[in-house]
């Protein structure tokens, strides 16, 4: 009797820092069990051995920033039964999407001695802007527990269960005192999707919005509150313009109320 064919897993990198792939490698207690359930066919962060063909699940990290990226993601999509994006770079363009409004030429000239040799697009965009995506996992980096949930859901043939509520809810569940109410510390928790367990407020820090906009985020109300706390508009623009600057509800425009 032939052995059961294990689903083939591929992990791809586009423009990114590799942090989300490292989150997968960080699943030290679960990796052996995972390797028993799937055939890791392509994962260059973990092994230089690669296997071509079709993949049952592709995890894609990083944003599309070059013409080559745009072509490669179409090939990967065509070779993948399910395609899941992991991290802020892959879901909304990442921090490299700061170029989208500032102009890529200025960055090129500041960084490279010979920018004429660099082939780049004017924008950094998430994977879903280029090909259909089956599921987007937020975070900079992604949370390892959520990542395992996504892979487990794929193996079980169900939709992943990942919260879409705000960081504030996790603060309340953990009994963490609100840093904005108690200390006047600017915090993006009210508009940021949960995923980290409200890590920063638990250490008396405001949230910087790693997981991007929560479901129906009221950024206008938060911008008004930040203004009332004395944060001028340029500072508000900066706080909304980090890992998820290209997410529709974030970016400089989110800062524009409350004066
Ligand atoms: S989302 Fe953050 S951690 Fe993940 S690859 Fe991009 S910059 Fe790195
Ligand atoms: S900045 Fe916000 S989303 Fe990121 S780890 Fe801290 S609380 Fe979590």
């Amino acid at each position: 009797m032939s052995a059961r064919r294990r689903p083939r897993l591929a992990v791809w990198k586009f423009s990114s820092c590799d942090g989300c792939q490292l989150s997968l490698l960080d699943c030290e207690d679960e990796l052996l069990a995972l390797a028993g359930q799937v055939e890791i066919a392509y994962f260059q962060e973990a092994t230089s051995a690669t296997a071509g063909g079709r993949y049952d699940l592709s995890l894609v990290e990083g944003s599309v920033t070059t013409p080559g990226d745009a072509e490669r993601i179409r090939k990967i999509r065509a070779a993948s039964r399910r395609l899941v994006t992991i991290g802020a770079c892959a879901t909304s363009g990442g921090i490299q999407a700061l170029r989208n409004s500032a102009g890529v030429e200025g960055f090129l000239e500041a960084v490279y001695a010979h920018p004429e040799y660099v082939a780049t697009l004017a924008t950094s965009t998430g994977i879903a802007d280029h090909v259909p995506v089956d599921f987007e996992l937020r975070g900079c980096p992604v949370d390892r527990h959520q990542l395992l949930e996504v892979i487990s859901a794929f193996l079980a043939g169900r939709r992943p269960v990942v919260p879409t509520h705000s960081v504030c809810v996790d603060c309340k569940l953990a009994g963490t005192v609100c840093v904005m109410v108690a200390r006047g510390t600017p915090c993006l928790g009210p508009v940021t999707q949960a995923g980290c367990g409200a890590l920063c407020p638990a250490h008396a820090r405001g949230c910087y919005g790693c997981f991007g906009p929560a479901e129906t985020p009221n950024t206008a109300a938060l911008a008004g509150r930040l203004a009332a706390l004395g944060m001028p508009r340029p500072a508000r623009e900066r706080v909304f313009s980090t890992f998820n600057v290209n997410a529709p509800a974030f970016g400089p425009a989110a800062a524009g109320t409350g004066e």
Side-chain angles (χ1 to χ4, degrees), residues 223-259:
R225 184 66 194 139
L226 294 177
L229 287 171
M231 183 184 269
R233 178 161 180 153
R236 297 203 304 274
E237 289 184 355
R238 272 198 302 280
V239 88
F240 278 111
S241 302
T242 56
F243 323 101
N244 292 281
V245 60
N246 200 41
F250 279 14
T257 57
E259 284 164 322

Side-chain angles (χ1 to χ4, degrees), residues 72-188:
R72 190 161 65 97
I73 192 59
R74 285 194 290 273
K75 289 181 180 161
I76 290 170
R77 174 70 266 190
S80 307
R81 188 161 72 85
R82 291 275 183 270
L83 189 147
V84 171
T85 55
I86 56 171
C89 296
T91 56
S92 68
I95 204 155
Q96 56 273 31
L98 284 167
R99 66 165 63 171
N100 295 6
S101 56
V104 72
E105 293 79 12
F107 290 112
L108 277 176
E109 284 163 16
V111 174
Y112 297 102
H114 289 284
E116 66 272 22
Y117 294 122
V118 179
T120 188
L121 297 170
T123 56
S124 168
T125 43
I127 301 300
D129 287 344
H130 299 266
V131 295
V133 166
D134 294 294
F135 189 79
E136 294 186 307
L137 187 64
R138 304 277 199 81
C140 180
V142 291
D143 172 75
R144 57 197 283 271
H145 301 291
Q146 290 194 347
L147 188 54
L148 288 170
E149 159 61 12
V150 165
I151 296 171
S152 304
F154 166 78
L155 290 170
R158 62 172 173 80
R159 189 89 183 147
V161 179
V162 170
T164 54
H165 60 245
S166 73
V167 169
C168 287
V169 175
D170 280 1
C171 277
K172 301 298 171 282
L173 289 171
T176 298
V177 174
C178 177
V179 294
M180 200 146 70
V181 171
R183 297 166 175 259
T185 304
C187 180
L188 289 195

Side-chain angles (χ1 to χ4, degrees), residues 20-87:
C20 291
Q21 293 181 79
L22 290 176
S23 295
L24 182 54
L25 291 175
D26 190 36
C27 300
E28 291 175 1
D29 293 337
E30 299 88 0
L31 265 183
L32 276 180
L34 176 64
Q37 293 295 314
V38 299
E39 174 195 345
I40 299 177
Y42 189 101
F43 187 5
Q44 290 208 311
E45 183 80 22
T47 170
S48 54
T50 60
R54 287 191 58 77
Y55 306 99
D56 295 291
L57 175 62
S58 277
L59 301 178
V60 181
E61 176 200 83
S63 65
V64 172
T65 60
T66 69
D69 285 346
E71 189 182 338
R72 190 161 65 97
I73 192 59
R74 285 194 290 273
K75 289 181 180 161
I76 290 170
R77 174 70 266 190
S80 307
R81 188 161 72 85
R82 291 275 183 270
L83 189 147
V84 171
T85 55
I86 56 171

